[in-house]
Amino acid sequence: MTAQMETRPATTSTSVEFVGVTRVFGSTTALAGLDLAIEPGELLALLGPSGCGKTTALRLLAGFDQPTSGEILVDGRDVTRLAVNKRDMGMVFQSYSLFPTMSARDNVAFGLRLRGSAASARRARAGELLDLVGLSAHLDKFPHQLSGGQQQRVALARALAIAPRVLLLDEPLSALDALVRAQLREEIRRIQLELGVTTVFVTHDQEEALSMADRVGVMRAGRLEQCDVPSVLYQRPATAFVAEFVGTMNQVPGVIGADGRVQVGTQALSVDGPVPAAGVAVSVLARPEAVLIEPLAAVDARSPSDATVLVATFFGAVTRLRLVRADGVELLADVASHRAAELTPGTAVRVSLLDRPVLVRASVPREAEAEHH
Amino acid sequence: MVALAQTGRTGAAPPAATRRRRPQVRVGRSVTLLLAAIYFIGPLGVAFWFSIHDRLHGGVRFHEYTGVFSVPGLMDSFTLSLKLAAATIVILLVLLVPTMLLVQLRLPRFRPIMETLCLMPLVVPPVVLAAGIFAVLGSGPLTSGPLATIASDLQETSLPWILALEYVILTLPFSYRAIDAGMRSIDLATLVKAARNLGASWPTLTVRVLLPPLRTALLNAGFLAFALVLGEYTLATILQYTVFSVWIVTAGQTDGQLQTALSIMSLGVTWVLLIVIGLFAGSRKGRSRSIRRRKTA
Ligand SMILES: Nc1ncnc2c1ncn2[C@@H]1O[C@H](COP(=O)(O)OP(=O)(O)OP(=O)(O)O)[C@@H](O)[C@H]1O
Ligand SMILES: [Mg+2]
């Protein structure tokens, strides 16, 4: 990993800004005024459900498409009308995109060749980049001789070869199996940090986004819902959508008490953020790991907030329990797996929430259980 | 025809299905191959025997083959056919490749129209085509006035472009199919995006990125056109050009054995070309196939 450091041009990282970017396709609004600022050298993940406009945003930044309105600034300069082949942005695509008649080395050298770099120089540079992505043993292989993961590594090296101002990754790992995906995820992050290149990573896999990114932008219906560092996004979601989309979130009915605390079953918890007026019915947002459960003995008195275990799903260190309260509210709770033996389906349990400030939102009828993967 | 069967097979059933049916398929293939071999080799063998059999003295002799080159008109007609084939292939590729790329990448909604147009010649008999050409060439504006010179240039006997143009139409369906099969086997749209993204201009990316993986398909298309043009007889006779196939018939009218020998030799030339293209393209074929397999996996 030392060889690259010398030959790599000193990275002067690039900033990117979307200003009110809208893209309309006929009757579909793919982007509805996207505002997003990406810091130099940062890895920003765009996360969101299918069809929310992630790819569209990336395509606009790469120059494959023009916004209907709004502008895209790269280092403060408007690039909206700049042709795609003049933007110097390296992109890795979701589908395998290596040139089938070129060896791995030639694929990586392609961009350098277009830039008029001498044959020996680009061969050397391509070799270094393939070494960087761990493929020094496969320089002369053709795409059909490489595995899917290896092809995407070559594609990454190819995108990096042109010393891109911004590196764009559109779900580059989605065609790969779980193990390779996790491996490559780490590797992309390592390389990105090493080169300090500004990177936009599109994914609909929240785990991928949270584990790799400096900041994660959660998109919904063509807009940015929230853009923040992973821990804040997870612990302090700005909107109910973010709360439900990132990680798993329970919504437990509660009522705001006279003291400004929220009453959940028999428990009173303080509220994180603005407190609704006393007497207002709210949903309390709670992660499965913040739901505490205690098995009930037969003699214990029952309350409406007590629950029964419906299903227990083993996830290794933790076991996720699906519970139903006596009043019909369903909850997910994570418990340490060693406790799972006493919490088999059918067990009656007492449910409480971890005693720390909770997020609440005004109650609306819930359409679905808050479970996303 | 062999090449046609090959390109047809590249768009074959998913590998899983093929694997399951393999034993029956193998038997079926052998039987088909045997029948086809008998069908092709039988008449050829008989024809060959006929061409070397010495009817006067018995035994065999090869003078029809050795003497072929001294028969007048051979080289002229053969060169004419080669020139026509070359012109046809050039026009065909120049016409088809950019159009098909454009439709594939930019105007997919025109695909059905293009497909219909390209397959149309299959249902128009060459005789009708020739009649149409006559009607057009004989019509008012083309017999006098400024267009008349163009019309007569087109009919120049040293290189009758009119015939080449008709051959383009005749070979269109086959060449179209061959190129189409090639284009379907690679993800052109993604390759274009990747190349554009890396900074390639359209001309550069066409030459460096799009054409190389299409090489086999283009060779197939070219070969099909070549074989068809070399063997075409109807249009050439009707329009009265002495191309190779017409010459064979005329030259052989007095000598059946010579005619047969010539036919076998022209078949031989075609075969040699087929083998050459097979060797040339063979290395590429496995490659595009494995790309597709990985994609479906
Ligand atoms: N070329 C196009 N023509 C018409 N509509 C389009 C086009 N491209 C995208 N759309 C529409 O714009 C919306 C956003 O699409 P986009 O591809 O950006 O979604 P995405 O967030 O990348 O989704 P996914 O996670 O499924 O890839 C979708 O409703 C899509 O149907
Ligand atoms: Mg997408």
Side-chain angles (χ1 to χ4, degrees):
Chain A
M1 296 312 108
T2 45
Q4 297 82 40
M5 307 300 274
E6 313 149 2
T7 45
R8 172 165 49 86
T11 341
T12 46
S13 284
T14 308
S15 70
V16 174
E17 197 173 350
F18 287 78
V19 185
V21 174
T22 298
R23 179 64 171 102
V24 180
F25 296 104
S27 58
T28 326
T29 303
L31 286 182
L34 176 69
D35 289 307
L36 172 64
I38 304 163
E39 303 295 327
E42 134 176 278
L43 192 159
L44 180 112
L46 281 180
L47 178 66
S50 189
C52 70
K54 308 180 293 290
T55 297
T56 305
L58 212 62
R59 285 170 47 83
L60 290 174
L61 180 52
F64 292 122
D65 193 10
Q66 303 290 318
T68 311
S69 66
E71 54 187 27
I72 297 170
L73 307 176
V74 172
D75 273 342
R77 258 189 53 231
D78 183 4
V79 297
T80 320
R81 304 288 152 203
L82 198 61
V84 50
N85 56 337
K86 302 271 184 275
R87 289 204 187 186
D88 279 335
M89 296 199 181
M91 183 149 174
V92 179
F93 299 86
Q94 178 172 3
S95 48
Y96 302 130
S97 61
L98 296 185
F99 307 129
T101 50
M102 296 182 200
S103 67
R105 195 207 299 262
D106 289 344
N107 262 282
V108 176
F110 184 79
L112 298 171
R113 188 172 169 188
L114 293 175
R115 281 159 181 74
S117 132
S120 58
R122 61 179 194 248
R123 272 178 73 82
R125 180 84 186 117
E128 283 166 20
L129 282 158
L130 284 168
D131 187 31
L132 182 68
V133 297
L135 287 181
S136 38
H138 305 276
L139 293 178
D140 295 314
K141 288 201 176 157
F142 285 90
H144 75 283
Q145 297 167 319
L146 298 167
S147 72
Q150 289 170 334
Q151 288 190 52
Q152 290 302 68
R153 283 166 199 258
V154 177
L156 178 65
R158 182 177 68 177
L160 291 169
I162 61 171
R165 307 176 71 186
V166 185
L167 179 64
L168 307 174
L169 309 164
D170 188 3
E171 309 204 25
L173 310 179
S174 65
L176 308 176
D177 63 60
L179 200 66
V180 181
R181 199 154 68 204
Q183 223 172 38
L184 210 46
R185 186 195 284 170
E186 280 174 24
E187 218 157 311
I188 290 176
R189 178 57 164 162
R190 167 182 66 78
I191 292 167
Q192 188 268 337
L193 286 173
E194 194 174 318
L195 302 183
V197 59
T198 310
T199 303
V200 185
F201 187 105
V202 161
T203 178
H204 59 245
D205 181 338
Q206 46 160 307
E207 200 183 306
E208 215 163 86
L210 295 177
S211 63
M212 287 174 72
D214 291 307
R215 285 191 307 150
V216 178
V218 180
M219 288 183 65
R220 177 199 195 182
R223 277 203 192 81
L224 200 61
E225 282 277 299
Q226 184 179 6
C227 187
D228 222 319
V229 298
S231 60
V232 171
L233 211 63
Y234 190 78
Q235 279 151 21
R236 303 216 34 164
T239 68
F241 176 81
V242 175
E244 291 178 14
F245 192 77
V246 178
T248 303
M249 194 63 103
N250 289 297
Q251 298 184 37
V252 192
V255 178
I256 303 295
D259 58 353
R261 285 155 70 86
V262 60
Q263 194 69 34
V264 189
T266 55
Q267 219 180 348
L269 299 166
S270 54
V271 174
D272 186 354
V275 183
V280 171
V282 292
S283 287
V284 174
L285 304 179
R287 298 279 179 201
E289 61 269 27
V291 176
L292 309 175
I293 58 179
E294 212 45 62
L296 282 171
V299 294
D300 288 340
R302 303 297 160 101
S303 90
S305 60
D306 289 339
T308 312
V309 177
L310 283 182
V311 186
T313 313
F314 179 67
F315 282 123
V318 299
T319 293
R320 175 159 293 179
L321 305 176
R322 183 178 284 277
L323 313 164
V324 61
R325 295 204 322 200
D327 58 6
V329 174
E330 282 199 20
L331 287 170
L332 294 172
D334 287 350
V335 297
S337 285
H338 63 82
R339 291 186 59 203
E342 52 170 9
L343 295 165
T344 52
T347 313
V349 293
R350 174 142 297 157
V351 179
S352 60
L353 300 183
L354 196 64
D355 188 11
R356 63 171 182 217
V358 290
L359 292 165
V360 299
R361 67 173 175 111
S363 286
V364 286
R366 281 182 304 151
E367 305 101 319
E369 262 304 308
E371 188 174 13
H372 297 269
H373 289 291
Chain B
M1 283 308 117
V2 180
L4 246 196
Q6 270 176 0
T7 49
R9 224 180 45 215
T10 46
T18 334
R19 214 174 298 128
R20 227 183 303 118
R21 290 201 316 261
R22 186 137 297 169
Q24 295 99 300
V25 166
R26 201 170 284 161
V27 173
R29 265 185 205 160
S30 315
V31 171
T32 316
L33 194 67
L34 191 69
L35 288 176
I38 293 171
Y39 185 81
F40 281 115
I41 295 172
L44 263 180
V46 174
F48 183 64
W49 173 247
F50 172 71
S51 67
I52 59 171
H53 178 59
D54 191 335
R55 273 172 296 175
L56 290 178
H57 313 97
V60 296
R61 44 160 209 161
F62 290 91
H63 87 219
E64 305 290 1
Y65 289 89
T66 48
V68 147
F69 296 95
S70 59
V71 183
L74 169 96
M75 277 335 267
D76 288 345
S77 66
F78 192 64
T79 344
L80 179 60
S81 275
L82 285 184
K83 280 197 281 184
L84 278 171
T88 306
I89 292 170
V90 169
I91 299 173
L92 200 62
L93 295 185
V94 166
L95 203 66
L96 268 183
V97 174
T99 313
M100 290 178 72
L101 284 176
L102 196 70
V103 168
Q104 171 98 3
L105 295 170
R106 281 297 164 97
L107 305 163
R109 68 209 136 102
F110 287 120
R111 192 187 187 89
I113 301 177
M114 178 177 69
E115 208 150 296
T116 316
L117 275 177
C118 287
L119 298 183
M120 196 84 89
L122 282 181
V123 298
V124 180
V127 181
V128 176
L129 203 60
I133 292 282
F134 272 132
V136 172
L137 289 179
S139 68
L142 288 184
T143 46
S144 61
L147 288 179
T149 37
I150 298 178
S152 77
D153 284 351
L154 282 177
Q155 301 173 67
E156 174 68 45
T157 42
S158 66
L159 179 52
W161 285 98
I162 191 83
L163 200 53
L165 290 172
E166 291 204 53
Y167 285 162
V168 167
I169 295 177
L170 274 188
T171 52
L172 198 57
F174 308 104
S175 306
Y176 172 77
R177 277 279 161 240
I179 300 177
D180 190 50
M183 284 194 179
R184 279 174 198 272
S185 71
I186 44 177
D187 186 355
L188 285 180
T190 305
L191 294 187
V192 168
K193 276 195 275 180
R196 290 287 284 163
N197 176 252
L198 291 169
S201 63
W202 279 103
T204 312
L205 89 85
T206 307
V207 174
R208 297 236 183 102
V209 172
L210 295 184
L211 292 184
L214 290 175
R215 193 180 67 174
T216 309
L218 297 182
L219 281 173
N220 275 340
F223 176 75
L224 278 169
F226 187 86
L228 280 167
V229 169
L230 231 61
E232 206 283 335
Y233 176 75
T234 321
L235 274 175
T237 15
I238 297 177
L239 294 178
Q240 296 178 331
Y241 293 108
T242 313
V243 298
F244 189 50
S245 61
V246 173
W247 178 81
I248 290 179
V249 173
T250 341
Q253 244 151 20
T254 49
D255 185 347
Q257 278 184 304
L258 176 65
Q259 190 179 6
T260 314
L262 282 168
S263 302
I264 290 175
M265 285 176 85
S266 82
L267 207 60
V269 169
T270 318
W271 275 0
V272 167
L273 283 164
L274 178 71
I275 290 164
V276 166
I277 196 179
L279 290 177
F280 202 37
S283 55
R284 298 273 331 115
K285 225 160 230 157
R287 207 172 287 175
S288 57
R289 209 174 282 154
S290 64
I291 291 167
R292 203 169 30 253
R293 193 181 316 128
R294 184 155 311 129
K295 227 178 256 168
T296 49

